[in-house]
Amino acid sequence: MPDPTEIVLTSCFIIALGLFTTTAITRKLLVRKTAVAPPFEVALDNAGSPYQTPVSNDLPPPLPAGKVPTWLYNPFDLLGLGAIFLVFFSLAIASVRTARTENLVLDPKALVFSIGFQFAIAGAVAFIVTRRTSLVEWLGLRWRSWPWVLLIAPGTVALMWLFFGILQATGYMKWMESLGVESVQDTVKLLQTSQDPLILGLMTIAAVLAAPVCEEIVFRGYFYPAARKFAGPWVAGICSALIFASAHGSLSALLPLFIFGCALVFIYEKTGSLWAPIAVHFCFNGATVLIQLIARAYHLPLNSVQ
């Protein structure tokens, strides 16, 4: 059967867009419906009756959603969300089509361009937001409870490995292969097969440095809280994780990366600092690179959904 990767990834992007749009519009309409005329003012002098029951239209306080601030986002950020959506949708579909029609070659120039692009888009997002507040306040970088990351990062990676093990045991990879889908991402395959030290070095930099910093700034630092401003924490978390997973252009890694994206959103909300998801992402990618290099050095068979 034909590879369904492009159809599934396109559907995921459309689902994320539709879910966010529907929820944001619904929330906006509900706010307008609730915001009726000002409450009746009770006159306590001789001109009115003090026994008149006042009508209050005050909205109930919002439910607590975590420690990630959303006050600095405004309707202009809908354009930012749309731009990020279009960029990663285009890149994901382009990579799938390229891999399907020809052998995808990741040479040093392509890897340097990829690393530069990641820092460029993260820098553009940071430039927009730091016009309103400082980088430290925006991303919660003044995190006094940072020692917790020594438990959060390895604990999350261990849970993700457990999840991968469950997928493997339940035949997830065999199912992917039966659909004609590559079970290993191109970047991981490159770590397994390349003999060029420069390519291996650049791949390590891209996975261990560029991805944890840049992807967290874009997806958790900006996309999630901006989406939460308009659609609430649950929908924003699901949509950001779905786009994050789909942006990697791999059907076999879609489910694991979606769960990983949800975990990173949860960690960011609970800590209020981007240091925590960056550390988790760093440990996750670093462990993946280390395992792949050890496996190739000792000629160990290794199947991975990472």
Side-chain angles (χ1 to χ4, degrees):
M1 64 178 297
D3 188 341
T5 300
E6 182 176 346
I7 295 176
V8 174
L9 294 184
T10 301
S11 299
C12 289
F13 276 103
I14 293 174
I15 289 171
L17 178 62
L19 181 60
F20 170 78
T21 303
T22 302
T23 306
I25 292 175
T26 302
R27 284 165 58 93
K28 185 67 174 178
L29 293 176
L30 288 176
V31 169
R32 286 182 177 179
K33 184 177 180 180
T34 309
V36 293
F40 179 76
E41 298 291 339
V42 180
L44 297 179
D45 54 13
N46 293 333
S49 170
Y51 304 104
Q52 179 75 39
T53 302
V55 178
S56 175
N57 293 315
D58 293 337
L59 295 175
L63 295 175
K67 299 180 180 180
V68 177
T70 60
W71 61 266
L72 53 91
Y73 301 99
N74 55 55
F76 173 78
D77 291 296
L78 290 172
L79 296 177
L81 293 174
I84 291 174
F85 176 89
L86 290 175
V87 166
F88 284 100
F89 171 73
S90 301
L91 289 175
I93 300 305
S95 67
V96 172
R97 291 180 178 177
T98 301
R100 185 177 59 203
T101 57
E102 56 187 80
N103 291 327
L104 183 63
V105 179
L106 291 176
D107 56 19
K109 290 183 179 180
L111 289 171
V112 169
F113 176 81
S114 176
I115 294 170
F117 174 79
Q118 291 187 66
F119 278 103
I121 193 169
V125 167
F127 176 80
I128 292 172
V129 179
T130 51
R131 300 302 92 189
R132 312 168 194 174
T133 187
S134 69
L135 188 68
V136 172
E137 294 300 325
W138 169 39
L139 300 177
L141 301 183
R142 196 181 291 112
W143 186 31
R144 296 181 179 179
S145 302
W146 65 265
W148 276 102
V149 80
L150 301 177
L151 177 63
I152 294 172
T156 304
V157 173
L159 289 176
M160 288 303 303
W161 282 351
L162 176 62
F163 180 67
F164 294 151
I166 293 173
L167 289 180
Q168 190 74 24
T170 55
Y172 176 82
M173 296 312 301
K174 291 183 179 180
W175 178 50
M176 287 289 110
E177 291 171 358
S178 70
L179 297 175
V181 175
E182 285 286 344
S183 60
V184 181
Q185 288 181 270
D186 291 325
T187 52
V188 176
K189 189 182 298 183
L190 194 63
L191 285 172
Q192 295 174 342
T193 60
S194 177
Q195 301 299 322
D196 188 341
L198 179 58
I199 289 181
L200 292 176
L202 290 172
M203 279 297 305
T204 301
I205 293 173
V208 180
L209 175 61
V213 173
C214 298
E215 290 181 3
E216 292 312 308
I217 289 176
V218 173
F219 288 105
R220 257 64 63 180
Y222 179 77
F223 194 97
Y224 165 69
R228 195 188 108 181
K229 174 78 172 184
F230 303 99
W234 285 97
V235 170
I238 292 172
C239 291
S240 64
L242 193 56
I243 292 175
F244 166 73
S246 302
H248 286 76
S250 171
L251 183 55
S252 61
L254 181 64
L255 177 58
L257 288 177
F258 172 73
I259 299 299
F260 187 50
C262 290
L264 292 171
V265 166
F266 177 80
I267 291 168
Y268 188 31
E269 275 287 13
K270 290 302 179 181
T271 62
S273 173
L274 202 69
W275 284 126
I278 285 176
V280 172
H281 205 150
F282 168 83
C283 288
F284 180 77
N285 285 12
T288 300
V289 171
L290 182 61
I291 289 172
Q292 297 298 333
L293 294 179
I294 291 175
R296 63 175 287 163
Y298 292 96
H299 307 288
L300 301 176
L302 188 63
N303 293 321
S304 174
V305 297
Q306 301 170 35

mmCIF file of all heavy atoms in Angstrom, residues 1 3 9 29 40 51 58-59 71 73 83 91 94 131 135 145-146 164 192 207 230 245 255 262 266 297 302:
data_model
loop_
_atom_site.group_PDB
_atom_site.id
_atom_site.type_symbol
_atom_site.label_atom_id
_atom_site.label_comp_id
_atom_site.label_asym_id
_atom_site.label_seq_id
_atom_site.Cartn_x
_atom_site.Cartn_y
_atom_site.Cartn_z
ATOM 1 N N MET A 1 0.837 -1.195 0.000
ATOM 2 C CA MET A 1 0.000 0.000 0.000
ATOM 3 C C MET A 1 0.876 1.250 0.000
ATOM 4 O O MET A 1 2.007 1.208 0.464
ATOM 5 C CB MET A 1 -0.920 0.001 1.225
ATOM 6 C CG MET A 1 -0.208 0.080 2.570
ATOM 7 S SD MET A 1 -1.340 0.146 3.967
ATOM 8 C CE MET A 1 -2.184 1.687 3.661
ATOM 9 N N ASP A 3 2.579 4.789 0.978
ATOM 10 C CA ASP A 3 2.959 5.360 2.270
ATOM 11 C C ASP A 3 1.938 6.431 2.687
ATOM 12 O O ASP A 3 1.751 7.427 1.979
ATOM 13 C CB ASP A 3 4.354 5.986 2.149
ATOM 14 C CG ASP A 3 4.908 6.426 3.481
ATOM 15 O OD1 ASP A 3 4.129 6.588 4.436
ATOM 16 O OD2 ASP A 3 6.135 6.630 3.569
ATOM 17 N N LEU A 9 0.028 13.192 8.362
ATOM 18 C CA LEU A 9 0.610 14.424 8.901
ATOM 19 C C LEU A 9 -0.226 15.641 8.512
ATOM 20 O O LEU A 9 -0.447 16.538 9.343
ATOM 21 C CB LEU A 9 2.049 14.588 8.402
ATOM 22 C CG LEU A 9 3.065 13.555 8.887
ATOM 23 C CD1 LEU A 9 4.458 13.912 8.396
ATOM 24 C CD2 LEU A 9 3.048 13.421 10.400
ATOM 25 N N LEU A 29 -17.093 34.023 21.718
ATOM 26 C CA LEU A 29 -18.546 34.229 21.696
ATOM 27 C C LEU A 29 -19.140 34.114 23.091
ATOM 28 O O LEU A 29 -20.058 34.862 23.445
ATOM 29 C CB LEU A 29 -19.203 33.218 20.753
ATOM 30 C CG LEU A 29 -18.879 33.381 19.261
ATOM 31 C CD1 LEU A 29 -19.518 32.252 18.458
ATOM 32 C CD2 LEU A 29 -19.351 34.737 18.753
ATOM 33 N N PHE A 40 -26.894 46.453 38.096
ATOM 34 C CA PHE A 40 -27.808 47.487 38.584
ATOM 35 C C PHE A 40 -27.225 48.145 39.825
ATOM 36 O O PHE A 40 -26.814 47.473 40.771
ATOM 37 C CB PHE A 40 -29.162 46.846 38.910
ATOM 38 C CG PHE A 40 -30.176 47.808 39.452
ATOM 39 C CD1 PHE A 40 -30.813 48.698 38.600
ATOM 40 C CD2 PHE A 40 -30.468 47.821 40.803
ATOM 41 C CE1 PHE A 40 -31.736 49.572 39.102
ATOM 42 C CE2 PHE A 40 -31.390 48.704 41.307
ATOM 43 C CZ PHE A 40 -32.041 49.575 40.459
ATOM 44 N N TYR A 51 -33.838 47.860 49.525
ATOM 45 C CA TYR A 51 -34.172 46.434 49.511
ATOM 46 C C TYR A 51 -34.159 45.835 48.111
ATOM 47 O O TYR A 51 -34.478 44.675 47.924
ATOM 48 C CB TYR A 51 -35.564 46.231 50.145
ATOM 49 C CG TYR A 51 -35.635 46.792 51.528
ATOM 50 C CD1 TYR A 51 -36.296 48.003 51.771
ATOM 51 C CD2 TYR A 51 -35.030 46.139 52.584
ATOM 52 C CE1 TYR A 51 -36.358 48.535 53.033
ATOM 53 C CE2 TYR A 51 -35.088 46.675 53.864
ATOM 54 C CZ TYR A 51 -35.753 47.868 54.088
ATOM 55 O OH TYR A 51 -35.812 48.402 55.345
ATOM 56 N N ASP A 58 -20.481 39.842 37.333
ATOM 57 C CA ASP A 58 -19.066 39.524 37.418
ATOM 58 C C ASP A 58 -18.821 38.075 37.016
ATOM 59 O O ASP A 58 -19.537 37.165 37.442
ATOM 60 C CB ASP A 58 -18.542 39.752 38.843
ATOM 61 C CG ASP A 58 -18.558 41.229 39.217
ATOM 62 O OD1 ASP A 58 -18.541 42.049 38.287
ATOM 63 O OD2 ASP A 58 -18.591 41.540 40.422
ATOM 64 N N LEU A 59 -17.800 37.873 36.203
ATOM 65 C CA LEU A 59 -17.457 36.524 35.787
ATOM 66 C C LEU A 59 -16.757 35.800 36.930
ATOM 67 O O LEU A 59 -16.076 36.418 37.740
ATOM 68 C CB LEU A 59 -16.532 36.577 34.568
ATOM 69 C CG LEU A 59 -17.125 37.153 33.291
ATOM 70 C CD1 LEU A 59 -16.032 37.245 32.228
ATOM 71 C CD2 LEU A 59 -18.257 36.281 32.791
ATOM 72 N N TRP A 71 -0.406 37.030 29.882
ATOM 73 C CA TRP A 71 -0.861 38.420 29.840
ATOM 74 C C TRP A 71 -0.217 39.216 28.708
ATOM 75 O O TRP A 71 -0.785 40.192 28.212
ATOM 76 C CB TRP A 71 -0.546 39.115 31.170
ATOM 77 C CG TRP A 71 0.910 39.166 31.509
ATOM 78 C CD1 TRP A 71 1.603 38.286 32.279
ATOM 79 C CD2 TRP A 71 1.871 40.139 31.068
ATOM 80 N NE1 TRP A 71 2.935 38.634 32.354
ATOM 81 C CE2 TRP A 71 3.118 39.769 31.625
ATOM 82 C CE3 TRP A 71 1.796 41.276 30.272
ATOM 83 C CZ2 TRP A 71 4.279 40.501 31.393
ATOM 84 C CZ3 TRP A 71 2.950 42.013 30.041
ATOM 85 C CH2 TRP A 71 4.178 41.629 30.609
ATOM 86 N N TYR A 73 0.398 38.350 25.649
ATOM 87 C CA TYR A 73 -0.024 38.005 24.291
ATOM 88 C C TYR A 73 -1.288 38.757 23.921
ATOM 89 O O TYR A 73 -2.135 39.039 24.765
ATOM 90 C CB TYR A 73 -0.224 36.499 24.172
ATOM 91 C CG TYR A 73 1.038 35.727 24.491
ATOM 92 C CD1 TYR A 73 1.234 35.154 25.747
ATOM 93 C CD2 TYR A 73 2.051 35.604 23.545
ATOM 94 C CE1 TYR A 73 2.403 34.473 26.048
ATOM 95 C CE2 TYR A 73 3.226 34.927 23.839
ATOM 96 C CZ TYR A 73 3.392 34.371 25.094
ATOM 97 O OH TYR A 73 4.560 33.704 25.399
ATOM 98 N N ALA A 83 1.912 31.913 11.314
ATOM 99 C CA ALA A 83 3.191 31.827 10.609
ATOM 100 C C ALA A 83 3.952 30.564 10.999
ATOM 101 O O ALA A 83 4.507 29.859 10.147
ATOM 102 C CB ALA A 83 4.032 33.062 10.902
ATOM 103 N N LEU A 91 7.433 22.666 5.822
ATOM 104 C CA LEU A 91 8.681 21.913 5.951
ATOM 105 C C LEU A 91 8.421 20.416 6.109
ATOM 106 O O LEU A 91 9.125 19.588 5.518
ATOM 107 C CB LEU A 91 9.483 22.432 7.150
ATOM 108 C CG LEU A 91 10.108 23.818 6.996
ATOM 109 C CD1 LEU A 91 10.758 24.246 8.306
ATOM 110 C CD2 LEU A 91 11.130 23.827 5.864
ATOM 111 N N ALA A 94 7.176 18.994 2.758
ATOM 112 C CA ALA A 94 8.275 19.015 1.788
ATOM 113 C C ALA A 94 9.273 17.896 2.071
ATOM 114 O O ALA A 94 9.764 17.235 1.139
ATOM 115 C CB ALA A 94 8.976 20.366 1.815
ATOM 116 N N ARG A 131 9.998 42.611 22.737
ATOM 117 C CA ARG A 131 9.560 44.000 22.577
ATOM 118 C C ARG A 131 8.557 44.359 23.669
ATOM 119 O O ARG A 131 8.277 45.541 23.888
ATOM 120 C CB ARG A 131 8.895 44.218 21.217
ATOM 121 C CG ARG A 131 9.722 43.948 19.966
ATOM 122 C CD ARG A 131 10.977 44.777 19.933
ATOM 123 N NE ARG A 131 12.105 44.074 20.537
ATOM 124 C CZ ARG A 131 13.273 44.606 20.796
ATOM 125 N NH1 ARG A 131 13.477 45.898 20.535
ATOM 126 N NH2 ARG A 131 14.243 43.895 21.330
ATOM 127 N N LEU A 135 13.471 38.775 28.298
ATOM 128 C CA LEU A 135 13.618 37.354 28.021
ATOM 129 C C LEU A 135 13.525 36.538 29.304
ATOM 130 O O LEU A 135 12.922 35.453 29.323
ATOM 131 C CB LEU A 135 14.966 37.102 27.333
ATOM 132 C CG LEU A 135 15.219 35.700 26.784
ATOM 133 C CD1 LEU A 135 14.307 35.418 25.602
ATOM 134 C CD2 LEU A 135 16.685 35.538 26.384
ATOM 135 N N SER A 145 13.901 27.094 41.818
ATOM 136 C CA SER A 145 13.816 25.658 42.137
ATOM 137 C C SER A 145 14.507 24.802 41.090
ATOM 138 O O SER A 145 14.146 23.637 40.883
ATOM 139 C CB SER A 145 12.342 25.239 42.258
ATOM 140 O OG SER A 145 11.676 25.985 43.252
ATOM 141 N N TRP A 146 15.528 25.358 40.421
ATOM 142 C CA TRP A 146 16.180 24.651 39.321
ATOM 143 C C TRP A 146 16.766 23.295 39.715
ATOM 144 O O TRP A 146 16.868 22.405 38.852
ATOM 145 C CB TRP A 146 17.275 25.522 38.700
ATOM 146 C CG TRP A 146 18.422 25.817 39.603
ATOM 147 C CD1 TRP A 146 18.600 26.915 40.393
ATOM 148 C CD2 TRP A 146 19.571 24.985 39.807
ATOM 149 N NE1 TRP A 146 19.767 26.833 41.097
ATOM 150 C CE2 TRP A 146 20.380 25.645 40.756
ATOM 151 C CE3 TRP A 146 19.985 23.750 39.310
ATOM 152 C CZ2 TRP A 146 21.588 25.127 41.203
ATOM 153 C CZ3 TRP A 146 21.186 23.220 39.759
ATOM 154 C CH2 TRP A 146 21.978 23.907 40.679
ATOM 155 N N PHE A 164 8.143 3.803 25.036
ATOM 156 C CA PHE A 164 8.682 3.201 23.816
ATOM 157 C C PHE A 164 8.697 1.674 23.916
ATOM 158 O O PHE A 164 8.403 0.974 22.950
ATOM 159 C CB PHE A 164 10.106 3.693 23.538
ATOM 160 C CG PHE A 164 10.192 5.158 23.220
ATOM 161 C CD1 PHE A 164 11.333 5.874 23.534
ATOM 162 C CD2 PHE A 164 9.145 5.820 22.616
ATOM 163 C CE1 PHE A 164 11.423 7.228 23.243
ATOM 164 C CE2 PHE A 164 9.221 7.167 22.318
ATOM 165 C CZ PHE A 164 10.362 7.870 22.633
ATOM 166 N N GLN A 192 23.356 6.282 12.583
ATOM 167 C CA GLN A 192 23.681 4.867 12.552
ATOM 168 C C GLN A 192 24.632 4.498 11.420
ATOM 169 O O GLN A 192 25.408 3.554 11.546
ATOM 170 C CB GLN A 192 22.394 4.041 12.415
ATOM 171 C CG GLN A 192 21.452 4.153 13.594
ATOM 172 C CD GLN A 192 20.131 3.436 13.350
ATOM 173 O OE1 GLN A 192 19.780 3.130 12.210
ATOM 174 N NE2 GLN A 192 19.391 3.166 14.419
ATOM 175 N N ALA A 207 21.037 17.948 17.414
ATOM 176 C CA ALA A 207 20.126 17.202 18.289
ATOM 177 C C ALA A 207 20.241 17.625 19.743
ATOM 178 O O ALA A 207 19.226 17.712 20.450
ATOM 179 C CB ALA A 207 20.408 15.701 18.163
ATOM 180 N N PHE A 230 -5.910 32.220 23.829
ATOM 181 C CA PHE A 230 -7.153 32.260 23.062
ATOM 182 C C PHE A 230 -7.985 30.989 23.182
ATOM 183 O O PHE A 230 -9.203 31.033 23.000
ATOM 184 C CB PHE A 230 -6.837 32.516 21.584
ATOM 185 C CG PHE A 230 -6.062 33.769 21.334
ATOM 186 C CD1 PHE A 230 -4.690 33.734 21.140
ATOM 187 C CD2 PHE A 230 -6.699 35.002 21.324
ATOM 188 C CE1 PHE A 230 -3.967 34.891 20.919
ATOM 189 C CE2 PHE A 230 -5.985 36.170 21.102
ATOM 190 C CZ PHE A 230 -4.615 36.117 20.905
ATOM 191 N N ALA A 245 4.902 17.326 17.053
ATOM 192 C CA ALA A 245 5.150 15.958 16.595
ATOM 193 C C ALA A 245 5.089 15.849 15.079
ATOM 194 O O ALA A 245 5.948 15.216 14.455
ATOM 195 C CB ALA A 245 4.136 15.009 17.232
ATOM 196 N N LEU A 255 3.269 9.431 17.226
ATOM 197 C CA LEU A 255 2.662 9.181 18.536
ATOM 198 C C LEU A 255 3.635 9.401 19.682
ATOM 199 O O LEU A 255 3.306 10.115 20.646
ATOM 200 C CB LEU A 255 2.084 7.766 18.579
ATOM 201 C CG LEU A 255 1.473 7.326 19.921
ATOM 202 C CD1 LEU A 255 0.348 8.275 20.338
ATOM 203 C CD2 LEU A 255 0.979 5.884 19.833
ATOM 204 N N CYS A 262 3.307 16.683 24.894
ATOM 205 C CA CYS A 262 2.352 16.901 25.990
ATOM 206 C C CYS A 262 3.078 16.931 27.336
ATOM 207 O O CYS A 262 2.764 17.753 28.206
ATOM 208 C CB CYS A 262 1.290 15.803 25.995
ATOM 209 S SG CYS A 262 0.120 15.874 24.615
ATOM 210 N N PHE A 266 3.240 20.042 30.055
ATOM 211 C CA PHE A 266 2.887 19.830 31.466
ATOM 212 C C PHE A 266 4.011 20.297 32.382
ATOM 213 O O PHE A 266 3.783 20.992 33.385
ATOM 214 C CB PHE A 266 2.584 18.352 31.701
ATOM 215 C CG PHE A 266 2.274 18.005 33.132
ATOM 216 C CD1 PHE A 266 1.013 18.241 33.657
ATOM 217 C CD2 PHE A 266 3.251 17.445 33.951
ATOM 218 C CE1 PHE A 266 0.728 17.937 34.978
ATOM 219 C CE2 PHE A 266 2.974 17.130 35.269
ATOM 220 C CZ PHE A 266 1.701 17.378 35.779
ATOM 221 N N ALA A 297 29.139 1.605 17.460
ATOM 222 C CA ALA A 297 30.514 1.286 17.825
ATOM 223 C C ALA A 297 30.675 -0.195 18.149
ATOM 224 O O ALA A 297 31.714 -0.801 17.846
ATOM 225 C CB ALA A 297 30.955 2.137 19.011
ATOM 226 N N LEU A 302 19.634 -2.273 16.743
ATOM 227 C CA LEU A 302 18.826 -1.324 17.517
ATOM 228 C C LEU A 302 17.696 -0.808 16.671
ATOM 229 O O LEU A 302 17.904 -0.165 15.649
ATOM 230 C CB LEU A 302 19.713 -0.147 17.979
ATOM 231 C CG LEU A 302 19.075 0.838 18.965
ATOM 232 C CD1 LEU A 302 18.734 0.139 20.266
ATOM 233 C CD2 LEU A 302 20.029 1.984 19.235
#
